[in-house]
């Protein structure tokens, strides 16, 4: 389903679409899927096989990793828009090992299915792959940041409070 004019305008400014013509942007927007997520809604589930690229357009996502040296120590990471996720799965279909949740209300993600992109727009697919490489080499991607322990405690307390309220 095509995305809105505002979404197309946002897409023009994303690093992944740098150098694409208006015709190519319009072609890309025809195969994008736009999704909006509520805070704490799961965006990507562990084990969910995918060959999709996720363009984080608005908001932020969080995911939790265990420490290689101490599996009981968990660290929460935050990824802010604009950003790209799923590059590895996009290049070689695989299943993610982490769960990604929307960290803010109204988080917006555009999803590009690789199979559909290659079937419908092979030249565009190559340009997207080239831009992915450029983004990585130029450091155009924002790296995930570690959420402070204080922020993690605040999030935990808020989630616990909301859970308790829903029980009442």
């Amino acid at each position: 389903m095509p995305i809105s004019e505002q979404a197309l305008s946002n897409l023009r400014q994303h690093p992944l679409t740098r150098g694409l013509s208006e015709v190519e942007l319009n072609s890309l927007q025809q195969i994008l899927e736009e999704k909006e997520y509520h805070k704490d809604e799961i965006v990507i589930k562990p084990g969910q096989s995918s060959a999709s690229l996720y363009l984080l357009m608005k908001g932020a996502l969080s995911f939790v990793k265990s420490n290689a040296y101490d599996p009981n120590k968990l660290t929460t990471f935050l990824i802010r828009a604009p950003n790209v996720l799923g590059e590895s799965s996009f290049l070689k279909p695989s299943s993610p090992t982490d769960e990604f949740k929307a960290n803010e209300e109204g988080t917006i993600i555009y999803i590009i299915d690789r199979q559909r992109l290659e079937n419908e727009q092979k030249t565009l697919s190559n340009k997207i792959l080239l831009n992915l490489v450029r983004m990585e080499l130029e450091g155009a991607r924002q790296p995930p940041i570690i959420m402070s322990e204080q922020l993690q405690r605040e999030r935990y307390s808020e989630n616990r409070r909301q859970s308790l309220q829903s029980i009442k």
Side-chain angles (χ1 to χ4, degrees):
M1 176 193 333
I3 58 177
S4 68
E5 271 305 310
Q6 178 59 47
L8 184 57
S9 175
N10 294 340
L11 185 61
R12 281 184 188 99
Q13 296 174 26
H14 197 284
L16 187 70
T17 62
R18 184 175 49 168
L20 298 184
S21 69
E22 282 300 308
V23 170
E24 290 168 327
L25 278 169
N26 285 322
S27 296
L28 181 58
Q29 72 102 18
Q30 293 294 321
I31 58 176
L32 281 178
E33 181 181 357
E34 180 180 3
K35 288 191 173 183
E36 184 170 345
Y37 294 90
H38 298 288
K39 185 175 179 181
D40 294 324
E41 186 175 353
I42 296 172
V43 175
I44 301 173
K45 298 175 186 169
Q48 174 184 335
S49 183
S50 176
S52 296
L53 197 58
Y54 299 85
L55 279 63
L56 178 57
M57 302 301 292
K58 178 183 172 196
L61 298 178
S62 61
F63 65 100
V64 177
K65 283 269 193 208
S66 61
N67 184 309
Y69 301 106
D70 181 3
N72 294 319
K73 183 176 181 183
L74 301 177
T75 304
T76 302
F77 292 89
L78 190 68
I79 301 171
R80 294 206 175 278
N83 222 320
V84 177
L85 291 92
E87 317 85 303
S88 298
S89 298
F90 191 71
L91 297 172
K92 181 181 177 189
S94 61
S95 300
T97 56
D98 300 313
E99 177 178 87
F100 291 81
K101 288 184 178 182
N103 200 60
E104 298 175 7
E105 188 66 32
T107 294
I108 296 176
I109 295 181
Y110 299 165
I111 303 169
I112 303 172
D113 178 83
R114 181 171 182 170
Q115 194 66 47
R116 187 167 177 208
L117 179 64
E118 286 182 342
N119 289 344
E120 297 178 23
Q121 299 289 333
K122 184 63 176 169
T123 303
L124 182 56
S125 175
N126 291 336
K127 286 186 176 184
I128 295 288
L129 291 171
L130 183 59
N131 277 347
L132 268 175
V133 171
R134 281 186 182 138
M135 285 176 67
E136 198 63 38
L137 292 174
E138 295 170 0
R141 287 187 59 221
Q142 298 178 42
I145 59 172
I146 297 173
M147 292 174 65
S148 71
E149 287 185 29
Q150 176 64 31
L151 183 56
Q152 290 182 54
R153 280 194 292 275
E154 288 171 9
R155 287 283 313 240
Y156 173 78
S157 296
E158 181 182 334
N159 289 342
R160 184 176 162 91
R161 183 184 51 79
Q162 289 175 353
S163 296
L164 291 172
Q165 284 179 343
S166 68
I167 294 172
K168 292 179 184 178

